[in-house]
Every structure is written in structure tokens, then in C-alpha cells.
Amino acid sequence: DADVTQTPRNRITKTGKRIMLECSQTKGHDRMYWYRQDPGLGLRLIYYSFDVKDINKGEISDGYSVSRQAQAKFSLSLESAIPNQTALYFCATSDLLGDNTGELFFGEGSRLTVL
Amino acid sequence: RKEVEQDPGPFNVPEGATVAFNCTYSNSASQSFFWYRQDCRKEPKLLMSVYSSGNEDGRFTAQLNRASQYISLLIRDSKLSDSATYLCVVNRDNDMRFGAGTRLTVKP
């Protein structure tokens, strides 16, 4: 089983619908992240959380919200989806980044299409 | 201007070739640097960190030039299995910024 699990893996929805992407991890990491990937733009950080009580906006948080339900769970919500939120979404976890290991552990991705 | 810029490629090379990828970053306060690898339709995975003195891991060599804000990755003796997209990643205050990636295809 994957250490970082995302659900759903694929979703097609309509403009205006509320969508939730869920992420769970078995790595025991405190830090969790949500990124989106678009062709030609690379991965961009939406939100991140360093522990259950800590939520921080990333580079592109507008139109998104998150919930850190437990150390192992971090969900991303689109309250009212719009077509330009069509993208591949990745959840990631890390232990510490300050020690230069730089290792983010990614889930397999959730492909979202908003019509 | 993007914070991390890479040549998107694609780079198409024969097996056994040596190929080099470049990356520039705009924020001089960046603290640590990495190369990630992403296979088609898969998640990114850490390939190697990049140290100021340069570092090597088998056929892969990474270099950092802080003065020029430039990072490179050299792959020697390319294998078919090296075909992937290579992502340059720059960390500043636990904020990891990704380049858009350089796509490599190694052909028989």
C-alpha cells in the first residue's frame, strides 16, 4: 500500500460544485502539503500544514480551503469549482526540510476536471 | 518571471549519451536545492540534493553556483530508464518552489 494515499484519483465535475480531495499518510510525518500541477507551470503550493493546529496559505490558495483532521489526514476543498481549477493535484508529506534533505513524499495524484 | 526556470526540452538523446539540464532561480535567499524526477503520469520523487561543492550519485552529478543562481544536473551514460521529466526544486524557509521540468527521452 502507498504511504501517501489520495482519493479520488480521478474526478470530473461541473462548474459550481463543491469538491473535496482527501489525503492520508502512514509515514508519521507532521508536515503535509497540497500542490497543483499544470502543464508548463510545474507544481505550485496551495496550502500546507506543519501540525494539526497549523494551516498556512501557499502560493495559490484563492478558491481553495483545507482541513487537517488528524496528523495523518489533510483534505483539500474547492467550495465552488471553476474550469481553471482543472489540474493534477498532489498531496505530499515531509519530516523536516530544514536539514537539507528536501524530501517530499507525494501521493499518486488526483486528476480533477471541471467542466 | 518564474522563481525557478528550466528549459522545458524535450531532450531526445541516444542511449549512452551524456545530457545536461540547467536551472536558474531568482531568489538569492534560497537555502537548499534539489532535483526531483517525475515519470509520465506519476508523482515526483527525490533524485538528489544539490550541494555547494557539487555532488555525484552514480551516473548523476549535480552542481550549484550560488553567485549565478544556477543549478545543473548531468547524466552520463544515459539509460532508457532515465526517460522522465526532471524537476529543479528550490527551498527557502520551508517553501519548496518547483520548476516546470525538463523532459528527457532516451532512445535505443
Side-chain angles (χ1 to χ4, degrees):
Chain A
D1 288 342
D3 292 329
V4 183
T5 303
Q6 292 182 228
T7 56
R9 294 291 312 282
N10 288 284
R11 181 74 183 268
I12 299 173
T13 192
K14 294 182 179 180
T15 297
K17 294 292 187 181
R18 184 177 186 271
I19 295 296
M20 179 180 287
L21 306 180
E22 298 185 345
C23 177
S24 62
Q25 52 115 345
T26 58
K27 298 194 73 68
H29 289 163
D30 286 328
R31 300 181 175 198
M32 298 188 74
Y33 311 80
W34 275 104
Y35 286 88
R36 68 176 277 176
Q37 187 173 33
D38 299 275
L41 294 178
L43 281 87
R44 292 180 292 166
L45 183 63
I46 306 171
Y47 271 95
Y48 62 103
S49 169
F50 283 176
D51 65 41
V52 175
K53 297 177 183 178
D54 176 74
I55 301 288
N56 303 282
K57 292 183 177 180
E59 191 183 351
I60 52 161
S61 59
D62 288 349
Y64 301 95
S65 62
V66 290
S67 173
R68 185 81 185 266
Q69 300 96 321
Q71 188 210 31
K73 295 184 183 296
F74 192 37
S75 60
L76 176 72
S77 294
L78 289 68
E79 295 300 326
S80 180
I82 56 177
N84 76 359
Q85 291 177 311
T86 293
L88 181 58
Y89 290 84
F90 285 105
C91 174
T93 74
S94 74
D95 190 356
L96 290 173
L97 296 182
D99 63 353
N100 206 43
T101 61
E103 188 153 19
L104 290 167
F105 296 87
F106 286 88
E108 294 179 301
S110 297
R111 186 167 294 279
L112 176 65
T113 302
V114 184
L115 301 176
Chain B
R1 182 188 172 193
K2 293 179 188 175
E3 189 157 338
V4 182
E5 301 224 41
Q6 298 181 245
D7 181 343
F11 285 61
N12 298 306
V13 303
E15 268 187 296
T18 295
V19 61
F21 303 138
N22 302 319
C23 170
T24 58
Y25 61 95
S26 60
N27 194 321
S28 60
S30 298
Q31 297 152 324
S32 50
F33 310 89
F34 313 91
W35 286 100
Y36 273 68
R37 171 192 168 129
Q38 185 173 22
D39 293 312
C40 188
R41 302 184 192 281
K42 298 284 191 178
E43 71 274 24
K45 293 184 179 179
L46 179 66
L47 178 65
M48 60 195 301
S49 301
V50 186
Y51 301 116
S52 296
S53 55
N55 50 296
E56 193 173 298
D57 183 1
R59 298 180 293 107
F60 298 83
T61 300
Q63 298 276 357
L64 168 64
N65 184 323
R66 284 188 185 268
S68 302
Q69 296 179 201
Y70 170 92
I71 304 159
S72 66
L73 177 68
L74 183 77
I75 305 175
R76 292 183 300 278
D77 188 22
S78 299
K79 310 292 185 190
L80 296 177
S81 58
D82 293 334
S83 297
T85 296
Y86 291 83
L87 308 174
C88 175
V89 185
V90 174
N91 179 29
R92 174 173 54 85
D93 295 332
N94 294 308
D95 182 357
M96 301 276 275
R97 294 296 176 109
F98 286 74
T102 299
R103 188 154 63 91
L104 171 67
T105 301
V106 182
K107 299 187 174 181

